[in-house]
Amino acid sequence: MSATPAAAPGRRERRRREVHERIVDAAVALFERQGFAATTTLEITEAADVAEKTFYNHFPTKQHLIQELAEASLAEVRELLRE
């Protein structure tokens, strides 16, 4: 029996990931410039060029976004330590 490779993500999933990354990238840039507390979700959505509702489809709160960023940073550190 041969292993079937995982199917490539469909157009909808690719679009969702792209929007998610735009939100994250916009947030990181604003956090670096203004700080976490001074940055609003409205500013993030404007910088990412998405509706504010779209932000909440990806992150229930701004704290969930910062948690995702922290977990990604920790994963990078763990990988560096493994190497």
Side-chain angles (χ1 to χ4, degrees), residues 18-27 30 41-51 55:
E18 289 168 7
V19 169
H20 191 89
E21 286 303 312
R22 281 202 341 249
I23 293 169
V24 169
D25 292 344
L30 287 166
T41 56
L42 183 58
E43 290 172 317
I44 294 168
T45 59
E46 287 175 352
D49 194 28
V50 298
F55 176 92

Side-chain angles (χ1 to χ4, degrees), residues 2-83:
S2 65
T4 306
R11 182 173 176 251
R12 173 177 264 152
E13 182 60 26
R14 284 193 315 268
R15 174 82 173 127
R16 180 170 172 73
R17 288 179 188 175
E18 289 168 7
V19 169
H20 191 89
E21 286 303 312
R22 281 202 341 249
I23 293 169
V24 169
D25 292 344
V28 168
L30 287 166
F31 294 161
E32 287 174 351
R33 195 166 52 243
Q34 301 175 181
F36 176 77
T39 301
T40 66
T41 56
L42 183 58
E43 290 172 317
I44 294 168
T45 59
E46 287 175 352
D49 194 28
V50 298
E52 196 167 12
K53 182 178 177 183
T54 301
F55 176 92
Y56 292 108
N57 288 335
H58 289 265
F59 302 99
T61 66
K62 191 171 73 166
Q63 287 73 18
H64 284 86
L65 185 147
I66 199 73
Q67 181 179 350
E68 180 177 306
L69 293 173
E71 289 170 358
S73 292
L74 286 173
E76 288 177 19
V77 169
R78 282 188 206 108
E79 185 59 34
L80 288 172
L81 290 173
R82 271 188 220 123
E83 293 175 1

